[in-house]
DNA sequence: TTGACGTCTTGATAATTATCAAGGATCGAG
DNA sequence: CTCGATCCTTGATAATTATCAAGACGTCAA
């Protein structure tokens, strides 16, 4: 790994508080690579050889079964994926592919587990990250089990709106077909759900969404911090 | 806590390898209590004061939003719940209530975090438990997103069948309405799904289920170890 | 510019799932 | 035993969601 990249990695929450020597050891074993878009990084069922950290770009996590496929989540900088598989030395439960040109840090699983044993601060950071992943998944699951498709879309729009500064409009961060899959519906249904939301002040133009009647949208969506807030 | 209960707790995977003195300290702060059935233990949104360990009995985890409610999971001995909330010092994302008379160990959150810092072996065990919880939730989510209701039921029956020794029949471990909610459907639909499975050799009598044509049931269910195997 | 491709949308239809209402079975309390 | 309560099932119907087919729109390269 190039030494010019090290400070960037070091500043990540996950590595910030570990000791200098443990960090160096871990990085000596790691690779920082840039991948083109639409590249398959891992396939579910394969053994977890590396922990992945997205430094730049964006990675889609998806799952397949039968003939079906579904987007399970998106990982943006700075996030990890498949941490649980690495820690358990198990197989991946999800596949991953880049959806932009992406700079990604690969750390061999064995070294992650070593560092976890050696470095108390790293262990704490790992646990916080893993707990965040878990709670995120619980929220996704609640979203899907407790809401209709239109409600899921309405709440997702409110969330993006909030995350982008509550300026009355928002940009959809992904293709519509990706958002549809994330929300557990077909692209056709996403289109129709947008139409259903039109009377609630939702106007779509490509990736731009205008929210002209936040109040009525919120009444419909009934947002719930225990589902929609990513931070807590 | 009574000293007669200590060996039982000590033998749990979570506590087995921690040091004697750290274990003693942790247990001095803990409570082992027996709760009647149908008792609300925690409510989502409340701060995480305790880590819960189910020693005997059974606990249902559920989530509410809007007017809806859904069973998120069942915890049997020896399992923990709301570990992530405790480690993050955050609020609970799920509510919990006993569904049998249950013996439960309550450990104050602060002490769990203390022990995590102090005891390397405990930290490792915590991480493995948390990773298991995460992977279980990923599997539940895949189940719901990638399968129809009938497929979910078929695979769940095959799983219970396997867990109970593959003897050609199985006992449903919970009320049918609980199983329906676990599988993300209404009780009415569960009834109909059982009828749909009749031609595949599934015969239901109360909580007893006979599987007389495993092969054709498996062809329908298309079980997937990355969804259905709880261990891996 | 043109054509090919992919994405998104719309309409028609089908499949899946939920809701409402009612009836039967079971179980415990009195 | 009998009553009441709860759970489960079934039927009828409605709502939701998916599928299939076609067309609109934009992008990009030749």
């Amino acid at each position: 790994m190039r030494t010019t990249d090290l400070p960037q990695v070091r500043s990540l929450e996950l590595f910030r508080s570990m000791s200098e020597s443990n960090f160096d050891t871990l990085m000596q074993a790691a690779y920082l690579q840039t991948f083109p878009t639409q590249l398959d990084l891992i396939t579910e069922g394969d053994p977890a050889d590396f922990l992945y950290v997205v430094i730049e770009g964006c990675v889609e996590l998806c799952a397949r079964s039968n003939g079906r496929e579904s987007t399970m989540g998106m990982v943006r900088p700075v996030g990890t994926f498949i941490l649980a598989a690495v820690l358990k030395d198990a197989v991946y439960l999800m596949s991953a592919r880049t959806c932009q040109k992406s700079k990604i840090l690969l750390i061999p699983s064995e070294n992650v587990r070593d560092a976890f044993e050696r470095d108390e601060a790293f262990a704490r950071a790992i646990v916080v990250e893993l707990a965040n992943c878990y709670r995120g998944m619980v929220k996704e699951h609640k979203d899907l089990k407790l809401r209709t498709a239109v409600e899921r879309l309405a709440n997702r729009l409110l969330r993006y709106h909030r995350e982008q500064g509550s300026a009355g409009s928002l940009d959809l961060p992904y293709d519509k077909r990706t958002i549809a899959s994330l929300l557990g519906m077909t692209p056709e249904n996403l289109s129709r759900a947008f139409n259903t939301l039109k009377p609630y002040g939702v106007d779509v133009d490509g990736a731009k969404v205008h929210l002209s009647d936040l109040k009525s949208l919120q009444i419909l969506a009934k947002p719930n911090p225990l589902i929609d807030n990513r931070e807590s």
Side-chain angles (χ1 to χ4, degrees), chain A:
Chain A
M1 197 172 116
R2 291 204 317 259
T3 48
T4 53
D5 293 319
L6 280 172
Q8 190 182 12
V9 175
R10 181 63 157 152
S11 69
L12 307 181
E13 195 63 59
L14 198 56
F15 304 106
R16 191 171 301 163
S17 34
M18 74 190 297
S19 83
E20 194 64 40
S21 78
N22 285 329
F23 178 72
D24 290 345
T25 308
L26 197 57
M27 286 307 112
Q28 253 154 33
Y31 312 88
L32 186 61
Q33 286 194 28
T34 300
F35 296 99
T37 187
Q38 294 301 328
L39 189 93
D40 285 331
L41 297 170
I42 63 174
T43 303
E44 58 182 292
D46 288 352
D49 296 326
F50 296 94
L51 172 66
Y52 289 73
V53 186
V54 181
I55 307 293
E56 286 173 17
C58 184
V59 170
E60 175 184 2
L61 300 178
C62 64
R64 271 171 283 260
S65 196
N66 238 332
R68 282 156 274 194
E69 161 162 351
S70 185
T71 301
M72 298 290 286
M74 308 296 290
V75 187
R76 291 192 164 277
V78 179
T80 63
F81 55 96
I82 49 146
L83 180 54
V86 166
L87 293 169
K88 283 207 63 188
D89 197 11
V91 299
Y92 299 131
L93 293 181
M94 298 183 276
S95 303
R97 66 166 159 263
T98 55
C99 44
Q100 297 171 18
K101 184 179 165 198
S102 302
K103 192 193 271 191
I104 291 172
L105 181 68
L106 294 87
I107 315 177
S109 299
E110 220 174 311
N111 300 84
V112 174
R113 291 191 293 269
D114 277 1
F116 178 88
E117 304 271 3
R118 274 194 235 301
D119 197 296
E120 161 63 27
F122 184 59
R124 266 209 76 68
I126 285 275
V127 161
V128 168
E129 173 75 10
L130 186 56
N132 282 334
C133 291
Y134 173 72
R135 286 166 70 86
M137 191 56 67
V138 169
K139 287 168 185 174
E140 289 288 337
H141 201 57
K142 286 171 69 171
D143 193 42
L144 196 57
K145 281 189 105 174
L146 293 167
R147 288 171 170 165
T148 66
V150 171
E151 288 171 337
R152 292 198 296 278
L153 174 59
N155 281 294
R156 190 62 65 122
L157 292 178
L158 288 171
R159 180 173 132 199
Y160 290 152
H161 180 247
R162 178 165 34 83
E163 289 171 355
Q164 292 175 24
S166 304
S169 71
L170 61 100
D171 290 303
L172 297 176
Y174 319 109
D175 281 353
K176 285 190 182 134
R177 72 167 203 294
T178 304
I179 290 177
S181 186
L182 256 179
L183 295 176
M185 55 180 128
T186 59
E188 294 96 324
N189 246 312
L190 179 65
S191 260
R192 296 191 177 104
F194 271 121
N195 287 333
T196 306
L197 291 181
K198 211 170 265 174
Y200 298 86
V202 176
D203 285 290
V204 191
D205 178 26
K208 279 249 179 297
V209 180
H210 246 79
L211 305 182
S212 57
D213 187 356
L214 269 182
K215 264 184 201 154
S216 87
L217 185 59
Q218 275 162 343
I219 290 171
L220 172 90
K222 294 182 194 66
N224 179 337
L226 299 182
I227 300 179
D228 304 300
N229 284 13
R230 292 295 100 171
E231 320 77 53
S232 67

